[in-house]
Amino acid sequence: MKRYQAVFSALFLAGLFSLSALNLYRERDALQKKIQDIERPKAASEYKKYTKQLDGILSQTLVGGHRWNELYGTVYRALGKNEENSFKYVRDEDSVLYSGNFYNNSNLSAPGIAGRMRRLQDSLKDKGTKLVVIMYPTKFREDWSRGYYGIPYNNLNTYGDEVLRYLRRYDVDYVDVRDVFRDADMKAKDIFYHTDHHWTVPSAFYATGKIIDHLNQKFEANLDPDGYYRDLNNYTIETYSHIYMGSQGRDAGLIYSRRLDDYSFLYPKFATNYHYYSRYKGGKEANKDGPIERTLIDRKYLDYADPYDREMNNSYLQGVVRFDQIDNKLNPNGPTALFIRDSYSSPVATFLSPMFSRIELLWSLHFSPTGDGSIQKMLEKKHFDYVFVALALDNFTNEGTPFYTDDPKAAENGDADVAAQGQDPAAH
């Protein structure tokens, strides 16, 4: 019996290694290209993230890689589990997928975040530039999610509330998009994709309207005074049913996820004309001219047959690139704006663009205009009417807010410094 087991094990391992070698050979060019696009780790603390990205590339690129995800997810579904892969992904009573998380993984305190925002606001004040912090929601929140008891959902809302408390204390303006959906009594299944951590395009359109309301009330911005650009009747809504499997669904597998998401394109019925510039890793550049539906929106993913390759969330402004700029040829005298952002801002900037003459966007995690530049240097050279620090809640981190990192006045405990200036309302 032992001899039989040894022979079987040897044959199994030989077959496994042979298949692995064949897969690596057949997919070597695709693997090389994808691996080259990953940021190389510069510190020991970054190697964990790097190896995780490599694992994702291997599992999604090699022949049959997705089948392992499906097999794994099938077992968990058969067992009736509401968590998958050691709580990497969890689901709620509506079968909405979430990331699992046992603790707040932000590496910067709420006072540290607020201190940086206050320094940024002070540096912009002399130029007449208005700073607005936009806090996008993470997917889980008790107001709109029907979670199972005892499941560790990625819930950063207590930390987010603390950040906003310090922003108020430091007199920094903000928009809490979480309240936008709470006030509308919308649920997770209405706001987000079931299989992805991003919000849907209609959700982003709705939130953009509330951001415009805030700018008009706070700064008398006079954007869209007659509500024309916020009226959904002035847009074409093009919906494709059961087409999108988001990043969470691709990891957990379609069988465990139980469904594909619908995806909707929203674009204006009215005339638009833009020049869209984008810059990628390594300095590669691209330019497009034309209306929104041909410049800021890309439909190429509709042609992908495999749902594992159909990354519909990259349809607006390519998801997120290192730097991009939208120039509105039909509104050259409108206000200008800079987004210090993540991928949540792509549809928001698209829907704001008719009201602005120029919108520039930089990815806070990976921005470097010349290889050694910084956001602070960029803002010294350029003028904007508005600067939006617009991030999902889990990107309110040291890496997500890469400005005034070396300023001792924006240290972890900025309270004493702000109070000393007499600008902290809580100090009086």
Side-chain angles (χ1 to χ4, degrees):
M1 185 66 179
K2 290 183 178 180
R3 183 178 180 183
Y4 169 79
Q5 290 174 335
V7 172
F8 176 81
S9 299
L11 291 175
F12 176 78
L13 290 173
L16 182 63
F17 286 128
S18 299
L19 179 61
S20 299
L22 176 63
N23 284 346
L24 286 169
Y25 178 76
R26 291 180 60 179
E27 302 294 336
R28 62 190 184 280
D29 293 335
L31 280 171
Q32 184 179 14
K33 183 178 183 303
K34 290 182 178 180
I35 291 172
Q36 286 175 345
D37 289 337
I38 304 177
E39 285 286 334
R40 296 295 188 272
K42 299 180 177 63
S45 60
E46 298 176 356
Y47 274 93
K48 182 178 180 180
K49 179 181 178 182
Y50 181 69
T51 55
K52 183 178 179 181
Q53 290 175 313
L54 284 178
D55 176 68
I57 288 174
L58 290 171
S59 66
Q60 293 180 20
T61 305
L62 295 181
V63 176
H66 298 313
R67 296 192 184 99
W68 292 109
N69 285 357
E70 294 295 349
L71 177 61
Y72 203 69
T74 300
V75 172
Y76 272 81
R77 180 172 178 179
L79 293 173
K81 294 285 189 178
N82 295 315
E83 56 88 10
E84 194 264 353
N85 197 3
S86 300
F87 295 97
K88 182 178 182 181
Y89 295 109
V90 294
R91 65 186 179 202
D92 68 4
E93 295 182 24
D94 296 315
S95 294
V96 177
L97 291 179
Y98 303 85
S99 296
N101 190 2
F102 288 89
Y103 55 88
N104 172 22
N105 54 3
S106 177
N107 54 8
L108 188 60
S109 70
I113 289 284
R116 291 185 184 186
M117 301 300 179
R118 179 54 190 257
R119 293 299 156 197
L120 181 60
Q121 177 176 278
D122 289 346
S123 71
L124 298 171
K125 190 175 298 183
D126 290 342
K127 294 184 176 182
T129 300
K130 302 169 182 64
L131 174 71
V132 181
V133 177
I134 302 176
M135 181 179 286
Y136 298 131
T138 48
K139 195 171 182 180
F140 183 85
R141 184 177 168 103
E142 293 86 349
D143 293 323
W144 55 62
S145 300
R146 298 203 308 145
Y148 290 103
Y149 177 77
I151 294 289
Y153 298 95
N154 185 37
N155 187 355
L156 301 178
N157 290 292
T158 299
Y159 171 69
D161 294 340
E162 185 76 355
V163 170
L164 296 184
R165 186 172 76 85
Y166 275 94
L167 289 179
R168 291 193 297 271
R169 181 168 183 157
Y170 291 2
D171 198 23
V172 176
D173 185 56
Y174 66 83
V175 177
D176 184 1
V177 180
R178 300 174 303 166
D179 282 348
V180 169
F181 297 125
R182 184 195 64 185
D183 294 343
D185 197 27
M186 296 172 70
K187 302 304 179 186
K189 59 184 180 181
D190 306 316
I191 305 168
F192 300 91
Y193 298 106
H194 282 68
T195 64
D196 197 89
H197 63 283
H198 289 99
W199 55 4
T200 67
V201 174
S203 298
F205 179 85
Y206 180 76
T208 303
K210 299 303 179 181
I211 292 170
I212 294 170
D213 290 342
H214 176 85
L215 296 176
N216 288 341
Q217 294 167 10
K218 175 73 177 183
F219 302 111
E220 297 182 355
N222 198 34
L223 297 173
D224 191 25
D226 57 0
Y228 183 81
Y229 297 120
R230 286 168 282 176
D231 187 347
L232 200 56
N233 293 319
N234 296 321
Y235 292 79
T236 297
I237 305 174
E238 196 175 303
T239 300
Y240 295 84
S241 300
H242 312 303
I243 191 174
Y244 178 38
M245 181 158 61
S247 60
Q248 294 170 329
R250 292 194 298 271
D251 270 2
L254 178 58
I255 292 174
Y256 185 82
S257 303
R258 303 189 179 189
R259 61 174 294 171
L260 294 176
D261 280 296
D262 298 344
Y263 187 88
S264 296
F265 289 97
L266 269 68
Y267 54 91
K269 296 176 182 176
F270 51 85
T272 56
N273 191 8
Y274 295 98
H275 176 75
Y276 175 55
Y277 165 83
S278 52
R279 184 172 65 241
Y280 310 87
K281 178 185 177 183
K284 179 184 175 183
E285 299 174 310
N287 292 274
K288 289 184 179 180
D289 291 275
I292 278 183
E293 60 269 28
R294 292 209 305 267
T295 53
L296 310 187
I297 297 175
D298 195 334
R299 298 165 169 271
K300 66 180 180 182
Y301 295 100
L302 292 174
D303 300 328
Y304 286 51
D306 189 344
Y308 276 94
D309 298 326
R310 204 181 294 135
E311 182 47 274
M312 299 303 298
N313 192 64
N314 289 346
S315 298
Y316 281 74
L317 299 188
Q318 308 168 76
V320 61
V321 297
R322 290 200 167 193
F323 176 82
D324 41 354
Q325 179 172 326
I326 305 167
D327 289 297
N328 188 347
K329 298 180 182 180
L330 301 184
N331 188 15
N333 298 318
T336 58
L338 170 70
F339 274 83
I340 301 172
R341 59 97 163 212
D342 56 23
S343 53
Y344 270 65
S345 289
S346 294
V348 173
T350 301
F351 296 132
L352 280 177
S353 62
M355 290 157 274
F356 285 76
S357 62
R358 184 180 88 251
I359 296 178
E360 299 187 25
L361 306 102
L362 58 90
W363 189 6
S364 63
L365 296 176
H366 296 289
F367 173 74
S368 180
T370 61
D372 59 354
S374 70
I375 293 175
Q376 291 164 239
K377 290 181 180 178
M378 177 187 183
L379 290 171
E380 290 173 0
K381 299 176 181 178
K382 292 186 176 182
H383 174 266
F384 300 94
D385 294 302
Y386 299 92
V387 169
F388 303 117
V389 180
L391 301 168
L393 183 50
D394 44 5
N395 282 326
F396 277 81
T397 61
N398 190 52
E399 296 80 12
T401 56
F403 40 84
Y404 296 99
T405 57
D406 300 324
D407 189 343
K409 294 182 178 179
E412 284 287 303
N413 295 312
D415 308 72
D417 176 70
V418 175
Q421 298 180 44
Q423 296 165 332
D424 180 0
H428 298 287

